[in-house]
Every structure is written in structure tokens, then in C-alpha cells.
């Protein structure tokens, strides 16, 4: 049976439908908003897995036909997910994952397929709603529904679900996901907005997403399936007591160590000794008991870390809740790169490197969006040695792509415009050591590297990751600058990046069923204090952006010409522009509006390219002085090339300030001579004079008895009087 419910949401129709498509999935919905349509399905395995974690996978499939496009590349079909698809899959996963029951081990797969997009209403938002709806009507246990909304900020007002066009004007692009009672996930970027505005946006988004929850509840009421039963692992109190008794204070002593490596080694040793002590020779299945002991140990480890933070205000490394690990920064680390920095905070260490390129090196985007390219890129690499591990290197993971995009969003609001800085900019952050908050470390390292490279960012950006530990009685502690163990065992990962003026990037994931706005308000303020402290340490290394670029970075000169003269610069079949690039070693890009970008690692080559283009496009005017090459000799004079395709005639009587019998007595083919334009007739034929440059006396002034002094290309413009008797007209070759 087909069931469909719809509502008007931010002025557009939102509908959720089930029962017409993908009937064999355990849950399947079509979600439509405007002309954007996604199909989201949820399927579970028939039996629980033996994994130590909940095996949930979320996939987001972009179909290029959805936007009326054919995929690029040789095979002309969709292949590996684009970066945008990977980010959309993560955006869907993060608010859904915390709402599965504890102990549920059945493998679950959620797939969103984008079937249609109007390129104004983003399908990633519908993927969250669709994933929640598919799970809610299926037999899979799920503590939803989850709603989602996008928030913009234009002219001091919050905008619900701004279209792509509106987002161009918006100072905020924020996605909020949550249940009826609490926020679960927040992600977005902002143009240096105050924390109060950001918190207001989260509250606004949570109110507005309630409409999507109501729609799902209506669908569940008529199409929801009974949830299947699964066995929740029972707690063996006697077994737990035996483990606690053996551990005593051993676990507490192992946990409380400021060094991550030593702490992990101590914890691993205690765990191994515990397992050995619990297993006797007469145990029927040692493997099962080993697993049970390991699970109990992890439970008690989490309890130990959280209780000490809640009850004593002391973290595993001995810090207080607001204390930040030691911070250091260094710039100019690498000699041949365009900009580099080393940022260290505790045992997290980032090398960030900037490369400046030309317009031709922009990233070409082949996805469902309207943008075809981007000129600022940040890439994040997390090699296994950064945590002392071994694993295959198989390209960037979803986490790498997600962290790289978070840093990119956080820095983009302070990047200079193309008019201010016409470079393509790529920043790569290498995580060489990690103990938590490597993405915010990458924000700091990338900022330092950009400043070292001379990129005129509007303001430096710092970032910090906040954590949360909550107790059963409502007690909570907010942690500044969380490390790995606090991230893994805590209730929140709240990353905030921004300038001294305000927030530029935000990402929040909750591992419980949600947090209050009071906690969020406090976390924002505590994060600001942390960011300002870190920013101060960064500015000790480099107080301001370098005034010059690296000697190894390409130089870019920008000039503007009359669009009607673009053809003169390009030349027939590109002959002219190729000649300029070959002669000067420069790259030249020409825009339709007449903007010309000249790229060269050699400043002299770039200037020479600009001079040649100016000569090609400058209007020839009477009184101007040029240096040109003799390209033709006739008995009555010499033809001089003023610019490619533009010649003028120097009559034999104007070659010298003395009598000339033969043209060849003064000039030869290929000679460069300086001449003045003395006349341009109505047919465009140009008359030149070398004699006027030598004496300052033009033909017209000689005729009138006056003196006109040549003063370069800005010299005085002589009268267009008649030519001396018998002087032939000049001609353009």
C-alpha cells in the first residue's frame, strides 16, 4: 500500500512516501523537496554479527542524470563517490548512529540514491530525513525519528533552508539534526559570526526541524512495522564483581598518565594480566571468556575515566577541565615550498604546507552541484604512524575527507577574493602525531602556513575541540582541548574554529541522545577562551601575513584590455599568444571580459609578457613614441612594426635629421628603431618619423615653424596638419 504525507516547509512542499518503490528493503522512502528527490533504503542482516562494534554503513549515491548531466571521464559512468557524496554520507551517518539501542549487533546498511535535483534544494538534507524515515518504518530498532534543517543568516535574520542562490548572500551555512527533544549533530561554516548568533541558529534549526519529525511520525502511524526482537546482553553481576576485585587500583594507576603511549601500554598490560588471571585451564571455551573479560574491562575503563573527571575534575593526563596542552608553532619549516608550518599541541602535531598555482590548476568538480570548479582546497592526511599503528595506505578515508572539508570550510571565510589574490591555493595538512583534535590542529597549522606563504587572509583562524562527560544525576563537565581517550569515552565532540571576531567553522557530534542548549552555550564560551589562548601562541610565531611571496611561487600579473582586442592577443590559430609565452616563459589566461592573468616564476618574464600585450592592445595615437622592428624596406622608406599586425611607414625623408640617399644607409631589416607617430589617416594608415624623435621637430611643426618635443608614449600630441608636398602616404602592411 502506498502511503504519502506532505507539508509546506519554508515555502516549499516536502513529502515522504513509502510503498511504491524498493519493496524488498526493510524500509524504503521517497523524499521530495521542491524538485529534489532522493530514495533512501534501510536493510538489516538476518543474524547478529560477532563484531565488537555496531556494524552500520551509510552510503550516498549521486546519479548524474539527477541534474541532467553525463559523467565526465573516459567511461562516462559514475564510479568512486565524489568528495561531496562522501561528506553527505557522513552527514547522514552521524545523527543516526547514536540512536540505535546499546548492544544491537545486526549489520545495517542505509543507502541514499539521488534521483533528481533542482540544484537549489540540497539532497544531503533529505538523506538525513530519508534515513531516519526508512529506519522508523522498518522493523529495525531505532530511537528516532530524527529531523534535519539547514539555517542561513541574511540581513540579521535566520533563514530556513536557504536555496543555493540565497546561500551566496548568507553569512551562515549550518545543518542541524536532532530528535524531538534534543540536538544530536551540528555542522557548518560562518563568516566570523559571534557565538550568540551561532547558538541562536542552532536553536532556530531545532525548532524548524520539528516539522520533518511530525511528518515521519504520521508515516510510521500507518506504515510502520513491528520492531524485531533481539537479545540484549545480560550483565553478570558476579562476573563484574570478580573483575573489579582483581583490578583494584591497577586500572586507575594505568589510566592516570600524561603520556598517551605510556598510558596505552600500561592499560594494555593490565588488560592482558586480567584476562590471564580470569581464564583457567578447565574453561570450556577460553575465546568466549576472553571476549567477555575484554568487554567488561572496556566498560570499567570508561567508568574510571568518566568518574574521575566528574567527581574530581581531573583528566587522564592530569589537566583540569579548561586546561589546554602545551602549544608551540613554527613557520618556514620547509625551504622550497611556498609556505609551511609546524603546529604542536600536546602529542598532536601537524605539518601544513601551502602551494600556490594558476587558474588552470583549479579543481574541476564533476558532481550534482552548480559550481564547476574551486580555487581553494584543503587536504588532510592521517598516516598510520601518527598513532603508532600499521595499516595499508589506500587513499584518503571518509574520515580524512571529512576532516579536510571541515578545515576547508573553517578557512574559506577568511580567504582573499580572486580579485585580491588571483591564485589557486592548496593546503595539505600532514598529521605526523595524533592524540586528539587533529582537525583543529590542522586549522591552526594551515593558518600559519597561509600566513607564511604571504596569502592575504582577512584574519588568522584557530580551532579547539571540546568534550563533555555527563553523570546520571545531571552533573556534567565540559572539557577544553580533548585528547583521544576523552573523545572515545566522552559524550560529545564539539569542534569550533574562528577568528578573534567570531566563528568560521563548527562541527558537533553527540554520543548520547542529545544535550541541552545551556550546555551548548557554556561550551561555546569555553571554546572561545580556548581559541583565543591558542591564537595568541600562534601569533608569537608569525604576527602577521608575510608581505612577499616565496621566491619559488609563481608571480601573477593582472591587466585589463578592451574585450574587442582579445583576438589581437590570441592571434590567428593562437600564434601570437604562443609566441609571447615561448619568448617570456609565462602562462597567460584570458577571460571573456578582457581580464588577462600572466603567470611566471620569473618576474622579468611576466613584465615582458605584459609589455608585449600592452603593445598589442594599445591604441596607436598621433604623438606616441614606439620602439619597433624594421620589417620591410622600400625605396621610399621603411616599414616598422609597432605591434604585431600593426606597421607604419617611415618615409625616407623622416629617417634622419640629415639627408638620406638610400634607406639602407640608415636601417636594415630586423633593426629596432624608435619612432613617433605623426599621422593616422582615415583609412588607418600610419605615418612615422625617426627624425622627430632625434630633433623633437615633427613634420607639422616644421611646416608651421613650431617645435614639438617628443616625451615618450605620453608625449604631446602634434597637430594633424597637411603633409609636406610630395610626401607619400604611409601604409599598414
Amino acid at each position: 500500500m502506498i502511503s504519502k504525507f506532505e507539508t509546506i516547509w519554508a515555502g516549499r512542499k516536502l513529502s515522504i512516501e513509502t510503498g511504491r518503490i524498493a519493496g524488498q528493503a526493510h524500509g524504503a522512502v521517497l523524499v521530495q523537496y521542491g524538485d529534489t528527490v532522493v530514495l533512501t533504503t534501510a536493510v538489516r542482516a538476518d543474524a547478529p554479527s560477532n563484531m565488537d562494534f555496531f556494524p552500520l554503513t551509510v552510503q550516498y549515491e549521486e546519479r548524474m542524470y539527477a541534474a541532467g548531466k553525463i559523467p565526465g571521464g573516459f567511461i562516462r559512468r559514475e564510479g568512486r563517490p565524489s568528495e561531496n557524496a562522501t561528506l553527505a554520507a557522513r552527514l547522514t551517518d552521524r545523527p543516526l548512529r547514536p540512536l540505535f539501542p546499546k548492544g544491537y549487533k545486526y549489520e545495517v546498511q542505509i543507502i541514499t540514491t539521488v534521483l533528481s535535483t533542482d540544484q537549489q534544494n540540497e539532497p544531503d538534507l533529505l538523506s538525513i530525513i530519508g534515513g531516519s524515515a526508512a529506519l522508523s518504518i522498518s522493523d529495525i530498532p531505532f530511537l528516532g525519528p530524527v529531523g534535519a534543517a539547514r539555517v542561513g543568516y541574511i540581513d540579521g535574520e535566520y533563514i530556513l533552508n536557504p536555496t543555493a542562490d540565497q546561500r551566496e548572500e548568507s553569512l551562515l551555512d549550518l545543518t542541524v539534526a536532532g530528535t524531538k527533544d534534543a540536538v544530536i549533530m551540528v555542522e557548518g561554516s560562518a563568516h566570523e559570526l559571534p557565538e550568540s548568533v551561532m547558538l541562536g541558529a542552532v536553536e532556530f534549526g531545532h525548532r524548524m526541524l520539528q516539522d520533518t519529525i511530525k511528518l515521519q511520525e504520521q508515516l510510521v502511524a500507518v506504515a510502520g512495522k513491528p520492531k524485531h526482537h533481539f537479545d540484549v546482553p545480560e550483565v553478570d553481576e558476579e562476573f563484574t564483581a570478580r573483575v573489579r576485585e582483581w583490578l583494584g587500583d591497577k586500572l586507575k594507576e594505568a589510566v592516570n598518565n600524561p603520556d598517551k603511549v605510556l598510558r596505552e601500554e600500561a592499560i594494555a598490560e593490565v588488560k592482558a594480566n586480567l584476562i590471564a588471571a580470569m581464564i583457567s585451564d578447565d574453561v570450556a571455551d577460553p575465546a568466549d571468556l576472553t571476549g567477555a573479560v575484554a568487554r567488561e574491562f572496556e566498560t570499567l575503563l570508561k567508568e574510571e575515566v568518566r568518574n574521575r573527571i566528574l567527581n574530581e575534575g581531573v583528566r587522564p593526563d592530569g589537566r583540569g577541565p579548561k586546561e589546554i596542552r602545551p602549544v608551540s608553532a613554527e613557520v618556514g619549516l620547509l625551504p622550497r615550498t611556498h609556505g609551511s608550518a609546524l603546529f604542536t599541541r600536546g602529542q598532536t602535531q601537524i605539518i601544513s604546507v601551502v602551494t600556490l598555482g594558476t587558474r588552470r590548476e583549479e579543481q574541476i568538480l564533476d558532481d550534482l552541484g552548480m559550481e564547476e570548479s574551486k580555487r581553494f582546497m584543503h587536504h588532510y592526511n592521517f598516516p598510520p604512524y601518527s598513532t603508532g599503528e600499521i595499516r595499508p595506505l589506500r587513499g584518503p578515508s571518509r574520515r580524512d575527507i571529512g576532516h579536510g572539508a571541515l578545515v576547508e570550510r573553517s578557512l574559506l571565510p577568511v580567504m582573499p577574493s580572486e580579485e585580491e589574490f588571483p591564485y589557486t591555493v592548496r593546503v595539505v595538512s600532514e598529521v605526523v602525531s595524533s592524540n586528539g583534535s587533529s582537525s583543529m590542529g590542522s586549522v591552526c597549522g594551515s593558518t600559519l602556513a597561509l600566513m607564511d606563504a604571504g596569502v592575504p587572509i582577512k584574519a588568522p583562524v584557530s580551532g579547539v575541540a571540546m568534550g563533555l562527560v555527563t553523570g546520571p544525576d545531571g552533573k556534567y563537565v565540559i572539557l577544553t582541548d580533548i585528547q583521544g581517550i576523552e573523545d572515545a569515552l566522552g559524550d560529545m565532540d564539539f569542534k569550533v574554529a574562528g577568528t578573534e571576531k567570531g566563528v568560521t567553522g563548527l562541527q558537533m557530534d553527540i554520543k548520547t541522545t542529545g544535550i541541552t542548549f545551556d550546555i551548548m552555550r557554556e561550551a561555546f564560551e569555553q571554546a572561545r577562551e580556548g581559541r583565543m589562548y591558542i591564537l595568541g601562541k600562534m601569533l608569537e610565531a608569525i604576527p602577521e601575513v608575510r608581505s612577499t611571496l616565496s621566491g619559488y611561487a609563481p608571480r601573477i600579473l593582472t591587466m585589463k584590455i578592451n574585450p574587442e582586442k582579445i583576438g589581437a592577443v590570441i592571434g590567428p590559430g593562437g600564434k601570437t599568444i604562443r609566441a609571447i609565452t615561448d619568448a617570456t616563459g609565462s602562462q597567460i589566461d584570458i577571460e571573456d571580459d578582457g581580464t588577462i592573468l600572466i603567470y611566471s616564476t620569473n618576474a622579468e618574464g611576466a613584465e615582458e609578457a605584459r609589455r608585449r600585450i600592452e603593445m598589442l592592445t594599445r591604441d596607436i595615437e598621433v604623438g606616441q613614441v614606439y620602439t619597433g622592428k624594421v620589417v620591410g624596406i622600400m625605396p621610399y622608406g621603411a616599414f616598422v612594426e609597432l605591434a604585431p599586425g600593426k606597421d607604419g611607414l617611415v618615409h625616407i625623408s623622416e629617417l634622419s635629421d640629415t639627408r638620406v640617399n638610400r634607406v639602407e644607409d640608415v636601417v636594415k631589416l630586423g633593426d629596432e628603431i624608435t619612432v613617433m607617430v605623426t599621422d593616422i589617416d582615415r583609412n588607418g594608415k600610419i605615418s612615422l618619423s625617426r627624425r622627430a624623435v632625434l630633433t623633437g621637430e615633427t613634420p607639422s611643426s616644421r611646416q608651421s615653424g613650431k617645435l614639438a618635443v617628443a616625451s615618450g608614449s605620453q608625449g604631446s600630441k602634434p597637430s594633424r596638419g597637411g603633409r609636406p608636398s610630395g610626401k607619400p602616404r604611409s601604409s599598414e602592411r
Side-chain angles (χ1 to χ4, degrees):
M1 182 180 72
I2 298 175
S3 301
K4 182 176 182 179
F5 293 90
E6 59 188 42
T7 187
I8 300 301
W9 193 39
R12 282 148 279 170
K13 185 170 71 173
L14 171 69
S15 67
I16 306 179
E17 172 190 320
T18 190
R20 184 153 58 114
I21 295 176
Q24 296 189 64
H26 295 149
V29 295
L30 275 176
V31 184
Q32 181 168 352
Y33 190 50
D35 285 340
T36 297
V37 182
V38 304
L39 168 66
T40 304
T41 60
V43 176
R44 66 167 175 85
D46 293 331
S49 72
N50 294 321
M51 300 178 185
D52 292 333
F53 56 89
F54 170 43
L56 169 68
T57 57
V58 178
Q59 322 233 194
Y60 183 93
E61 298 291 311
E62 288 181 321
R63 295 292 185 253
M64 297 301 283
Y65 57 68
K69 297 181 180 180
I70 295 176
F74 183 74
I75 60 173
R76 295 294 178 185
R77 71 168 296 164
E78 294 83 1
R80 179 180 177 177
S82 69
E83 183 175 296
N84 181 66
T86 300
L87 296 175
R90 284 172 54 85
L91 196 71
T92 305
D93 182 303
R94 285 162 39 211
L96 302 182
R97 186 177 292 271
L99 297 182
F100 286 88
K102 186 176 180 180
Y104 190 70
K105 294 293 180 68
Y106 288 75
E107 184 174 1
V108 174
Q109 184 179 46
I110 298 169
I111 299 176
T112 290
T113 306
V114 183
L115 302 178
S116 174
T117 174
D118 55 19
Q119 298 186 319
Q120 290 292 322
N121 301 292
E122 292 293 326
D124 58 357
L125 192 69
L126 306 189
S127 180
I128 300 173
I129 298 168
S132 170
L135 288 168
S136 296
I137 65 171
S138 74
D139 66 347
I140 303 169
F142 179 64
L143 305 177
V146 170
R150 182 164 274 121
V151 182
Y153 190 68
I154 301 175
D155 296 333
E157 293 187 0
Y158 297 117
I159 306 297
L160 175 62
N161 299 336
T163 63
D165 290 339
Q166 288 176 314
R167 287 202 297 275
E168 293 293 323
E169 307 172 30
S170 178
L171 298 179
L172 174 69
D173 185 5
L174 192 72
T175 301
V176 182
T179 62
K180 183 181 294 186
D181 302 316
V183 174
I184 297 180
M185 184 210 73
V186 179
E187 178 161 316
S189 62
H191 288 264
E192 301 180 272
L193 292 177
E195 282 77 4
S196 58
V197 174
M198 298 299 294
L199 180 62
V202 177
E203 292 176 322
F204 175 82
H206 186 249
R207 286 199 309 273
M208 295 299 104
L209 64 79
Q210 298 302 321
D211 287 344
T212 69
I213 291 177
K214 292 175 184 176
L215 210 59
Q216 294 179 63
E217 289 174 338
Q218 291 175 318
L219 191 69
V220 171
V222 299
K225 302 174 183 176
K227 300 300 182 182
H228 85 98
H229 174 76
F230 74 100
D231 295 322
V232 180
E234 295 183 2
V235 177
D236 187 335
E237 300 291 350
E238 181 181 348
F239 178 72
T240 299
R242 286 176 55 204
V243 172
R244 285 183 184 275
E245 182 181 0
W246 187 93
L247 284 174
D249 290 334
K250 299 184 184 71
L251 185 56
K252 181 177 182 179
E253 293 169 0
V255 166
N256 297 323
N257 193 315
D259 187 280
K260 174 189 174 186
V261 175
L262 296 178
R263 180 172 61 245
E264 289 181 345
E265 288 177 352
I267 291 173
E269 182 179 358
V270 171
K271 182 177 179 180
N273 292 338
L274 171 65
I275 291 172
M278 292 292 107
I279 297 177
S280 59
D281 293 337
D282 59 351
V283 173
D285 193 341
D288 279 354
L289 183 57
T290 298
V293 173
R295 286 190 293 274
E296 188 63 33
F297 179 84
E298 294 300 326
T299 299
L300 296 179
L301 172 62
K302 182 174 182 178
E303 180 183 295
E304 171 63 35
V305 171
R306 294 169 64 90
N307 284 345
R308 190 162 189 237
I309 292 172
L310 280 170
N311 300 327
E312 302 175 33
V314 179
R315 299 158 73 170
D317 57 4
R319 285 184 291 152
K322 295 185 178 182
E323 191 175 347
I324 296 174
R325 292 170 288 178
V327 174
S328 65
E330 179 183 346
V331 296
L333 182 71
L334 305 173
R336 292 298 292 261
T337 60
H338 301 162
S340 60
L342 175 65
F343 178 81
T344 304
R345 186 187 56 239
Q347 290 173 290
T348 295
Q349 195 171 50
I350 314 292
I351 295 176
S352 292
V353 184
V354 171
T355 306
L356 304 179
T358 68
R359 285 282 301 277
R360 300 179 186 184
E361 294 168 294
E362 290 183 350
Q363 182 180 358
I364 305 302
L365 302 177
D366 188 25
D367 56 27
L368 297 180
M370 292 190 294
E371 292 186 357
E372 297 180 352
S373 64
K374 66 178 182 178
R375 52 181 286 269
F376 173 59
M377 299 160 276
H378 176 270
H379 296 143
Y380 168 102
N381 295 318
F382 192 86
Y385 64 75
S386 66
T387 53
E389 297 174 299
I390 297 173
R391 69 171 184 269
L393 294 177
R394 292 174 178 162
S397 66
R398 281 189 172 192
R399 179 181 179 276
D400 293 351
I401 292 171
H403 279 23
L406 172 59
V407 178
E408 184 174 300
R409 286 196 306 272
S410 300
L411 295 175
L412 190 59
V414 301
M415 290 297 291
S417 67
E418 188 172 359
E419 290 72 27
E420 296 173 282
F421 195 70
Y423 286 88
T424 295
V425 182
R426 180 185 186 230
V427 186
V428 178
S429 292
E430 304 283 356
V431 181
V432 293
S433 179
S434 178
N435 184 16
S437 193
S438 57
S439 62
M440 293 298 95
S442 297
V443 168
C444 300
S446 297
T447 296
L448 292 166
L450 287 165
M451 295 173 72
D452 182 54
V455 178
I457 58 174
K458 297 171 185 175
V461 180
S462 62
V464 68
M466 310 297 293
L468 176 72
V469 177
T470 57
D473 56 354
K475 186 177 181 180
Y476 66 89
V477 176
I478 297 171
L479 306 176
T480 300
D481 178 29
I482 56 173
Q483 57 185 316
I485 191 171
E486 294 163 342
D487 185 5
L489 304 181
D491 297 323
M492 177 180 75
D493 183 10
F494 185 30
K495 301 181 178 76
V496 186
T499 66
E500 186 176 7
K501 184 179 176 182
V503 175
T504 59
L506 182 67
Q507 185 180 91
M508 183 184 76
D509 291 305
I510 303 300
K511 300 171 186 178
T512 65
T513 54
I515 62 171
T516 67
F517 288 112
D518 286 338
I519 292 177
M520 198 178 300
R521 183 179 294 105
E522 189 176 335
F524 262 122
E525 183 53 38
Q526 196 166 315
R528 177 173 173 76
E529 294 174 5
R531 286 196 298 107
M532 292 303 99
Y533 172 80
I534 294 170
L535 184 59
K537 294 292 185 181
M538 292 165 57
L539 296 180
E540 289 177 8
I542 180 167
E544 57 187 21
V545 174
R546 295 200 191 281
S547 58
T548 58
L549 302 182
S550 162
Y552 302 105
R555 266 44 184 180
I556 299 182
L557 298 180
T558 304
M559 58 186 300
K560 191 91 168 181
I561 66 170
N562 185 336
E564 295 179 358
K565 296 189 176 183
I566 291 175
V569 178
I570 296 174
K575 179 180 178 181
T576 303
I577 197 169
R578 280 198 303 271
I580 297 174
T581 57
D582 291 344
T584 64
S586 303
Q587 292 182 22
I588 301 173
D589 287 343
I590 304 177
E591 303 293 332
D592 291 340
D593 65 354
T595 300
I596 296 182
L597 300 175
I598 303 169
Y599 311 97
S600 178
T601 54
N602 183 316
E604 293 181 359
E607 286 293 344
E608 175 60 18
R610 174 158 65 180
R611 188 190 70 80
R612 294 189 180 210
I613 293 172
E614 285 177 345
M615 292 293 292
L616 280 168
T617 58
R618 188 167 63 181
D619 290 330
I620 306 297
E621 295 182 2
V622 173
Q624 288 183 333
V625 174
Y626 294 86
T627 297
K629 184 182 292 186
V630 176
V631 293
I633 291 179
M634 303 297 288
Y636 51 82
F639 287 98
V640 177
E641 184 181 55
L642 305 180
K646 291 186 178 181
D647 303 343
L649 176 65
V650 183
H651 188 263
I652 190 170
S653 64
E654 296 296 325
L655 277 172
S656 177
D657 55 353
T658 60
R659 180 178 175 80
V660 178
N661 294 319
R662 294 175 63 250
V663 174
E664 291 86 345
D665 292 341
V666 181
V667 295
K668 296 179 177 60
L669 283 175
D671 286 353
E672 284 195 347
I673 63 172
T674 302
V675 295
M676 177 188 286
V677 179
T678 58
D679 188 58
I680 303 174
D681 72 8
R682 60 186 178 185
N683 295 318
K685 294 180 179 180
I686 304 170
S687 297
L688 306 173
S689 173
R690 181 170 177 266
R691 178 179 176 179
V693 176
L694 296 173
T695 66
E697 187 180 15
T698 66
S700 58
S701 66
R702 289 198 300 273
Q703 201 176 41
S704 62
K706 297 177 181 178
L707 185 69
V709 180
S711 58
S713 62
Q714 301 301 319
S716 58
K717 194 170 181 179
S719 168
R720 286 192 170 190
R723 298 182 180 82
S725 177
K727 181 176 179 180
R729 287 179 178 270
S730 64
S731 63
E732 187 174 357
R733 295 181 73 245

